[in-house]
Amino acid sequence: MGNDYLTKKKPLSALLVFALPIIIGNLFQQTYTMVDSAVVGRFVGEQALAAVGASYSLTNIFICVAIGGGMGASVTVSRYFGGKSYGKMKTAISTACLSFLGISVLLGGVGLLFSRSIMVLLNTPADVLDMAVEYLDIYFYGLPFLFMYNVLSAMFNALGKSKIPLCFLIFSSLLNIALDFLLVTRFQMGVSGVAWATWIAQGISAVLSFAVLVWELKKLGCGKVKLYDPAELWRMTKIALPSILQQSTVSIGMMLVQSVVNGFGSEALAGFSAAMRIESICIVPMAGIGNAISSYTAQNIGAKKLDRVVQGYRAAQGMVVVCAAAICLVLELFHGPIISVFLGADGTAAAVSTGQGYLQFMGWFFCLIGFKMTVDGLLRGAGDMKMFTVANLVNLCIRVVVAVLFAPRFGIAMVWYAVPIGWFANWAISFAQYRTGKWRKKAVAAQP
């Protein structure tokens, strides 16, 4: 299959070929984070699971910064690739990699300085605070590898080579899982064991990914290439910043909401953390479809085929409906056994009821985030970022306000009741913007 299949194959076929490796790879990535939690929950204890969960909402923000930034950069790279401007494309890739390497070092240093203060500010239960900080510090040491790993994956996707990051994700996931069991069960390293496992696995994958990307780029002829171009950085930043916000909305909201959940104690936190791991897996297909339609849109805009963008969007919506129905069925039938994977037979009543309650409720609403991510992906690929940004801010505000105001009074369930409301509001705003057709003008104006 040629590298230009996103602009030539039938939209549904092209999106399936492109999205499936992304979805499978991200499922592997989420699987090892789930194994992290399951291993510490079963072999260290419920408090260790709560400690990892307390750190999760914060660490996920950094993951989203890396993914969102990579996606923003990949829109520019995809357009150059679709237009066969390989010299400019290589300059954009080099600029993106160097920029995010610098950002990751800066964020890692700041995180190490303030990790304990942040966890205290988030109202982390005292009985898990030290373990949460220990996990977080190791995570910050590996932040440059995490950023490069995700940004390089976005570059491969921009080139239509989504199978390459899939291979690295499978390798990284299997290595991470093996190290989890080795460091936690054999060497008794507790929560630090799962943190070091992730650090090592992502570090090796980042180095290998970089080597393969360089090799792939050498195959493409090109004109003049700059190592770093501020003009390209600005072009990518205009798309990357709203994209980072979109990717981070859920995680920022969950970090702010985390302080509310923490107030219900470590047992409820453990159940909530287990449910959040499952939710992150359920969102993977929707995020994969959204990422696919973003690159698909950008490449077809670069090739001046705007009518294919609409066809691809309709095909992506059908993919969302199928995935959402399957997720709903699994969660409604098996929420109990799924939660028991994390908490075991000895899980406390508060932890079990919290985890099961979350999954039972949320199972019905994943179509909303799928529709949201699909239309957001199209707008991002077209460079139509204004209402895209507003929509995601509204989503964030709804989740935080409802949780903060109503959970302390009416119970922890208010935390998850707000989620589908935020998703729906986000979709409604973005879809209304799509229907105006302004994205077509933005696409033409944003042509590099």
Side-chain angles (χ1 to χ4, degrees), residues 94-278:
S94 175
T95 300
C97 289
L98 290 173
S99 298
F100 281 103
L101 180 61
I103 291 170
S104 66
V105 171
L106 176 63
L107 291 177
V110 172
L112 285 169
L113 287 174
F114 298 105
S115 58
R116 178 171 290 273
S117 299
I118 294 171
M119 297 314 294
V120 171
L121 185 63
L122 292 176
N123 197 29
T124 303
D127 55 346
V128 301
L129 178 61
D130 288 339
M131 285 190 288
V133 173
E134 180 183 13
Y135 178 89
L136 201 56
D137 284 346
I138 297 170
Y139 177 89
F140 282 128
Y141 282 122
L143 201 61
F145 288 129
L146 170 74
F147 264 62
M148 295 311 298
Y149 179 66
N150 284 283
V151 170
L152 290 170
S153 292
M155 297 301 98
F156 282 121
N157 290 336
L159 301 177
K161 296 182 177 293
S162 56
K163 292 181 180 179
I164 293 177
L166 168 61
C167 293
F168 283 117
L169 279 168
I170 293 174
F171 165 76
S172 176
S173 300
L174 294 177
L175 177 60
N176 191 304
I177 291 170
L179 290 172
D180 276 344
F181 283 99
L182 178 66
L183 298 179
V184 174
T185 64
R186 180 75 179 271
F187 292 101
Q188 304 294 315
M189 293 178 64
V191 294
S192 66
V194 294
W196 281 115
T198 300
W199 195 101
I200 294 169
Q202 289 191 338
I204 293 174
S205 292
V207 173
L208 294 176
S209 294
F210 179 75
V212 173
L213 180 63
V214 171
W215 182 70
E216 287 288 339
L217 291 177
K218 285 183 178 179
K219 297 178 183 179
L220 299 173
C222 63
K224 184 178 180 181
V225 178
K226 295 181 181 179
L227 185 63
Y228 194 87
D229 187 346
E232 289 295 345
L233 176 62
W234 174 241
R235 189 191 302 277
M236 289 184 287
T237 299
K238 288 189 292 184
I239 301 176
L241 285 178
S243 184
I244 289 171
L245 176 62
Q246 185 262 340
Q247 288 290 310
S248 303
T249 295
V250 174
S251 297
I252 293 172
M254 287 315 303
M255 184 184 72
L256 298 174
V257 168
Q258 188 80 62
S259 61
V260 178
V261 176
N262 290 345
F264 288 89
S266 59
E267 293 179 355
L269 175 58
F272 183 74
S273 300
M276 286 303 300
R277 295 296 194 185
I278 301 302

Side-chain angles (χ1 to χ4, degrees), residues 29 62-72 150-151 154 243-244 247 291:
Q29 190 173 36
F62 291 97
I63 294 174
C64 289
V65 170
I67 294 175
M71 287 171 58
N150 284 283
V151 170
S243 184
I244 289 171
Q247 288 290 310
N291 294 348

Side-chain angles (χ1 to χ4, degrees), residues 31-51:
T31 296
Y32 75 67
T33 65
M34 185 175 70
V35 171
D36 285 352
S37 296
V39 168
V40 295
R42 286 213 170 227
F43 296 103
V44 184
E46 198 171 272
Q47 286 185 330
L49 173 60

Side-chain angles (χ1 to χ4, degrees), residues 259-311:
S259 61
V260 178
V261 176
N262 290 345
F264 288 89
S266 59
E267 293 179 355
L269 175 58
F272 183 74
S273 300
M276 286 303 300
R277 295 296 194 185
I278 301 302
E279 182 191 72
S280 64
I281 290 179
C282 295
I283 289 176
V284 163
M286 310 309 180
I289 295 169
N291 294 348
I293 196 66
S294 181
S295 293
Y296 172 91
T297 299
Q299 280 203 23
N300 280 282
I301 286 172
K304 298 180 172 59
K305 297 180 178 180
L306 294 184
D307 288 342
R308 280 180 57 85
V309 173
V310 177
Q311 296 168 13

Side-chain angles (χ1 to χ4, degrees), residues 76-99:
T76 298
V77 173
S78 290
R79 287 180 182 171
Y80 283 138
F81 183 75
K84 302 187 185 303
S85 300
Y86 297 136
K88 291 182 179 180
M89 181 195 74
K90 291 183 180 182
T91 296
I93 291 174
S94 175
T95 300
C97 289
L98 290 173
S99 298

